[in-house]
C-alpha cells in the first residue's frame, strides 16, 4: 500500500452565488485513483490498462431549491466492474469440458450405430465359442476318463509283463534242464543202439517194400512183463556166458519175484542154465550181477544147496528130482568153469 496514490477533488456550490450561472449545470466530480506497485503475478503487459488507470466518478451536487443532478462527461466512458481471472478460467475450462463431452457422446453414438452389426456378430461368435468350449470340456473329461483307463491298462500290462518275464526265466531254466536231459537221453540212445540193434527189434519182413515188423523183443527172445529173455542153445562158462549176454545189450538173468521164477522154470523145462548169481567175490555172500542180494523169500535153492562142493561159486538151474518135479526150487551152485546154457535178460522196447 506504500505506492498507492489517492486523488480527491471536491467542489461545493452555494445557492445564490454570483459565480454560478446555471444551478442545474452544477456538477461535482470526485476522482479516486489507486495505484499499486506492480508485482510478478499481477504485472500487466505493456500498453494494457492497469488497475491504476481505473477511474471512478462520483458527483455530489448541492442546490438550495433544486435536486442535485449528476452529469457524466461525454468524453470519458464508464467502465463496468471486471470479473476476477480465476473465475473466468474456470468458466472457460467448464465450457471446453462440456464441448469435449458433447463431441465424445456424438462420436460414441456414431460408433455404436456403426458397430451394432459387428457387436451382434461378436455376440453370435461368443455363443458359438461357448458351445465349442462346452464341447471341448466334455471331450476333455472323456479324454481324462480314457487316460485313467489306459493308465490302469498300462499298469496291468506292466504287471503281466513282469509275470511273463518271471515265467520266461523259469521256462528258460526248465528248457535248459530239458536240453541237458535230451542230450543225456540221446547219449543213452546212442549207447543202446550199440547194444540193441534196431534190426533185431524191427527186422525187414518184405524186401521189396522194406517193410519192418517191430516187436518189443528181438527175434528169438521171449517177452515177460517188461523184460526180454534169451535162452541160448550153445554152452559157455559162467563168465563167457555173461560176456555173451552183454554183447546183446543184456546180462545174466536176475530173479526178483515168484512169477519170474515160474516163467523161467517153465521155459527151461528142466535144463541147466547159468543165472546171474555168484559168491565168487566173498564165499557165502551171494550177489546178483546188478549188485543186489537175493531177497530171502525169493530164494529157490534145491534141498541141501548151496553146498560149495569143490569150490562151486556160480548159480545154475538143475534138473529137479522126481520128488521136486513140481517144485520151484531148482537153484544149484556149480563150478563157474563148466560149460552150460545161459539165460540173458534185457529190457523190452516200448512201442506205445
Amino acid at each position: 500500500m506504500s505506492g498507492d496514490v489517492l486523488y480527491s477533488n471536491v467542489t461545493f456550490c452555494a445557492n445564490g452565488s454570483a459565480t454560478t450561472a446555471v444551478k442545474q449545470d452544477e456538477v461535482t466530480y470526485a476522482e479516486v485513483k489507486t495505484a499499486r506497485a506492480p508485482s510478478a503475478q499481477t504485472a500487466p503487459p505493456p500498453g494494457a490498462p492497469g488497475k491504476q488507470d481505473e477511474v471512478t466518478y462520483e458527483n455530489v451536487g448541492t442546490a438550495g431549491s433544486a435536486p442535485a443532478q449528476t452529469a457524466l462527461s461525454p468524453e470519458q466512458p464508464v467502465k463496468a466492474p471486471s470479473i476476477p481471472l480465476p473465475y473466468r478460467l474456470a468458466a472457460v475450462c467448464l465450457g471446453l469440458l462440456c464441448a469435449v463431452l458433447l463431441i465424445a457422446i456424438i462420436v460414441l453414438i456414431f460408433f455404436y450405430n456403426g458397430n451394432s452389426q459387428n457387436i451382434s456378430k461378436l455376440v453370435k461368435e461368443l455363443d458359438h465359442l461357448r458351445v465349442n468350449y462346452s464341447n471341448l470340456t466334455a471331450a476333455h473329461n472323456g479324454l481324462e476318463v480314457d487316460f485313467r483307463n489306459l493308465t490302469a491298462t498300462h499298469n496291468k500290462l506292466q504287471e503281466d509283463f513282469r509275470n511273463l518275464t518271471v515265467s520266461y526265466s523259469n521256462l528258460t531254466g526248465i528248457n535248459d534242464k530239458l536240453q541237458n536231459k535230451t542230450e543225456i537221453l540221446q547219449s543213452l540212445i546212442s549207447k543202446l543202439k550199440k547194444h540193441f540193434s534196431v534190426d533185431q527189434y524191427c527186422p525187414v519182413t518184405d524186401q521189396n517194400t522194406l517193410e519192418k515188423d517191430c516187436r518189443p523183443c528181438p527175434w528169438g527172445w521171449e517177452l515177460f512183463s517188461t523184460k526180454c529173455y534169451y535162452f541160448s542153445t550153445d554152452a559157455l562158462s559162467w563168465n563167457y556166458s555173461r560176456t555173451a549176454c552183454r554183447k546183446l545189450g543184456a546180462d545174466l538173468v536176475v530173479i526178483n519175484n515168484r512169477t519170474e521164477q515160474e516163467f523161467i522154470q517153465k521155459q527151461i523145462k528142466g535144463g541147466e542154465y547159468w543165472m546171474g548169481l555168484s559168491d565168487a567175490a566173498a564165499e557165502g555172500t551171494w550177489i546178483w550181477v546188478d549188485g543186489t542180494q537175493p531177497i530171502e523169500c525169493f530164494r529157490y535153492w534145491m534141498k541141501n544147496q548151496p553146498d560149495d562142493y569143490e569150490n562151486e561159486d556160480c548159480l545154475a538151474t538143475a534138473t529137479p528130482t522126481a520128488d521136486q518135479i513140481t517144485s520151484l526150487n531148482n537153484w544149484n551152485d556149480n563150478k563157474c568153469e563148466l560149460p552150460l546154457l545161459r539165460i540173458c535178460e534185457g529190457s523190452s522196447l516200448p512201442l506205445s
Side-chain angles (χ1 to χ4, degrees), residues 135-340:
N135 295 334
L136 289 174
T137 302
H140 177 263
N141 295 332
L143 289 174
E144 282 186 341
V145 173
D146 294 339
F147 177 75
R148 288 193 292 270
N149 294 335
L150 288 174
T151 302
T153 304
H154 177 261
N155 294 334
K156 187 176 183 302
L157 289 175
Q158 281 187 333
E159 183 179 358
D160 293 342
F161 177 75
R162 288 192 293 270
N163 295 334
L164 288 174
T165 302
V166 174
S167 300
Y168 176 77
S169 299
N170 295 335
L171 290 175
T172 302
I174 294 173
N175 182 62
D176 293 339
K177 292 180 180 179
L178 289 176
Q179 285 183 344
N180 294 332
K181 290 182 178 179
T182 301
E183 293 176 357
I184 294 173
L185 289 175
Q186 288 178 347
S187 176
L188 291 174
I189 290 172
S190 299
K191 292 179 180 179
L192 288 174
K193 285 182 177 180
K194 294 179 181 179
H195 300 284
F196 296 95
S197 175
V198 176
D199 293 337
Q200 290 181 352
Y201 290 90
C202 302
V204 177
T205 56
D206 190 342
Q207 295 295 333
N208 294 326
T209 60
L210 300 178
E211 183 179 355
K212 294 184 177 182
D213 184 13
C214 294
R215 300 179 57 189
C217 296
W219 285 92
W221 292 59
E222 298 294 333
L223 176 66
F224 177 75
S225 185
T226 59
K227 301 288 185 178
C228 295
Y229 297 87
Y230 174 72
F231 299 89
S232 70
T233 57
D234 59 318
L236 296 172
S237 67
W238 189 90
N239 289 326
Y240 282 112
S241 294
R242 187 179 183 189
T243 300
C245 290
R246 286 183 173 181
K247 287 181 179 180
L248 297 176
D251 209 336
L252 291 174
V253 66
V254 176
I255 303 299
N256 293 313
N257 50 60
R258 180 181 178 87
T259 56
E260 188 175 16
Q261 173 66 17
E262 291 175 349
F263 169 76
I264 295 298
Q265 186 177 21
K266 182 179 179 181
Q267 293 296 324
I268 63 175
K269 299 176 181 179
E272 292 183 308
Y273 289 83
W274 287 123
M275 302 176 71
L277 188 64
S278 172
D279 68 345
E283 184 63 35
T285 303
W286 292 89
I287 303 296
W288 290 109
V289 290
D290 61 0
T292 62
Q293 291 184 347
I295 302 173
E296 187 67 28
C297 59
F298 296 135
R299 295 185 180 188
Y300 300 98
W301 293 104
M302 296 179 65
K303 186 177 180 180
N304 299 324
Q305 296 297 330
D307 57 1
D308 194 26
Y309 179 75
E310 294 182 353
N311 197 21
E312 296 175 332
D313 295 328
C314 295
L315 171 63
T317 61
T319 302
T321 58
D323 59 337
Q324 294 179 335
I325 192 67
T326 59
S327 175
L328 294 176
N329 298 328
N330 60 354
W331 291 7
N332 179 39
D333 59 339
N334 213 330
K335 293 181 179 181
C336 299
E337 295 80 10
L338 293 177
L340 298 176

